[in-house]
């Protein structure tokens, strides 16, 4: 039996690592995807795409981290607010956290624990937000890309963060 010992980090250290991961993989993917000639995301606003993808990664982290009090996610959100310059602007912070929590709810509602890789409703919900539509986006190509992206990110987060680190008390 091979027992892997996890490195213990403070909430702030794990939040910094997780936020760096989210930001790096959020921006790199958007840049890469929009540079492709045949991307279905060609007409999407780059800033909206990056914002929605970052929130999607935050949701994946929230879903995967066993933190019922959301202390880690609060620390990640705080770093995000500082990064975008709203940390000391309570009204803007309240608006942004409300926006993020609405997305989390939408994605939790769309996630199907029994669907394995066939998360079509989730893919459509995320697509709707990226493309700024009023209804779930029913486009198999886009939903497929989003679903594969979500599943790949879950795998990367598990291998890079969940399996390696834990919060020290």
């Amino acid at each position: 039996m091979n027992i892997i010992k996890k490195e213990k980090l403070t909430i702030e250290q794990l939040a910094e690592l997780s936020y760096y991961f989210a930001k790096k993989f959020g921006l790199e993917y958007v840049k890469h995807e929009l540079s492709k000639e045949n991307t279905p995301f060609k007409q999407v606003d780059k800033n909206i795409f990056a914002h929605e993808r970052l929130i999607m990664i935050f949701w994946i982290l929230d879903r995967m981290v066993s933190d019922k009090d959301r202390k880690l996610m609060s620390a990640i959100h705080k770093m995000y607010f500082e990064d975008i310059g709203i940390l000391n602007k309570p009204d803007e912070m309240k608006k942004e956290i409300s926006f993020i929590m609405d997305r989390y709810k939408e994605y939790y509602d769309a996630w199907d624990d029994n669907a394995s890789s066939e998360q079509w409703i989730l893919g459509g919900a995320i697509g709707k937000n990226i493309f700024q539509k009023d209804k779930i986006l029913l486009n198999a190509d886009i939903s497929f890309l989003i679903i594969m992206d979500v599943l790949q990110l879950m795998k990367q987060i598990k291998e890079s963060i969940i399996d390696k680190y834990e919060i020290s008390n």
Side-chain angles (χ1 to χ4, degrees):
M1 181 159 83
N2 187 8
I3 297 176
I4 299 172
K5 187 172 180 178
K6 293 182 180 185
E7 184 178 341
K8 293 187 181 291
L9 300 176
T10 65
I11 285 179
E12 292 77 18
Q13 289 171 319
L14 191 54
E16 187 174 341
L17 177 74
S18 300
Y19 181 64
Y20 173 79
F21 177 96
K23 190 172 174 181
K24 178 178 174 14
F25 283 94
L27 296 176
E28 282 182 3
Y29 181 86
V30 169
K31 184 178 178 183
H32 172 75
E33 195 59 42
L34 293 179
S35 72
K36 295 182 343 191
E37 197 61 39
N38 61 347
T39 182
F41 299 102
K42 203 63 161 179
Q43 303 305 317
V44 171
D45 179 275
K46 179 183 176 181
N47 293 326
I48 291 171
F49 192 5
H51 186 234
E52 292 294 342
R53 182 166 164 78
L54 189 61
I55 292 171
M56 178 189 82
I57 297 171
F58 288 169
W59 171 76
I60 294 169
L61 284 162
D62 187 68
R63 187 179 180 288
M64 294 183 72
V65 174
S66 299
D67 179 21
K68 66 180 184 319
D69 296 328
R70 281 197 167 134
K71 289 179 183 175
L72 178 62
M73 293 311 299
S74 292
I76 292 170
H77 293 153
K78 183 179 177 184
M79 288 177 183
Y80 168 63
F81 296 153
E82 184 174 15
D83 203 21
I84 63 172
I86 66 170
L87 186 59
N88 296 314
K89 299 175 182 175
D91 290 341
E92 290 182 45
M93 271 189 356
K94 185 178 178 182
K95 182 179 174 186
E96 185 65 12
I97 198 65
S98 177
F99 184 83
I100 291 169
M101 290 297 127
D102 286 348
R103 289 293 194 257
Y104 285 11
K105 181 181 180 338
E106 184 177 7
Y107 298 160
Y108 275 114
D109 289 348
W111 179 264
D112 182 352
D113 284 327
N114 300 315
S116 64
S117 65
E118 296 187 16
Q119 298 289 339
W120 296 105
I121 296 172
L122 178 65
I126 294 169
K128 169 188 77 84
N129 296 329
I130 291 170
F131 283 86
Q132 298 291 284
K133 300 293 182 186
D134 293 332
K135 295 187 255 181
I136 285 182
L137 191 65
L138 299 176
N139 179 306
D141 292 335
I142 292 169
S143 289
F144 179 77
L145 283 173
I146 292 169
I147 294 162
M148 290 301 102
D149 183 34
V150 166
L151 296 175
Q152 182 61 34
L153 282 164
M154 286 179 163
K155 181 179 184 289
Q156 288 175 317
I157 289 168
K158 182 181 181 312
E159 292 172 356
S160 302
I161 299 171
I162 306 295
D163 288 349
K164 290 184 176 184
Y165 305 101
E166 65 185 357
I167 298 170
S168 61
N169 294 331

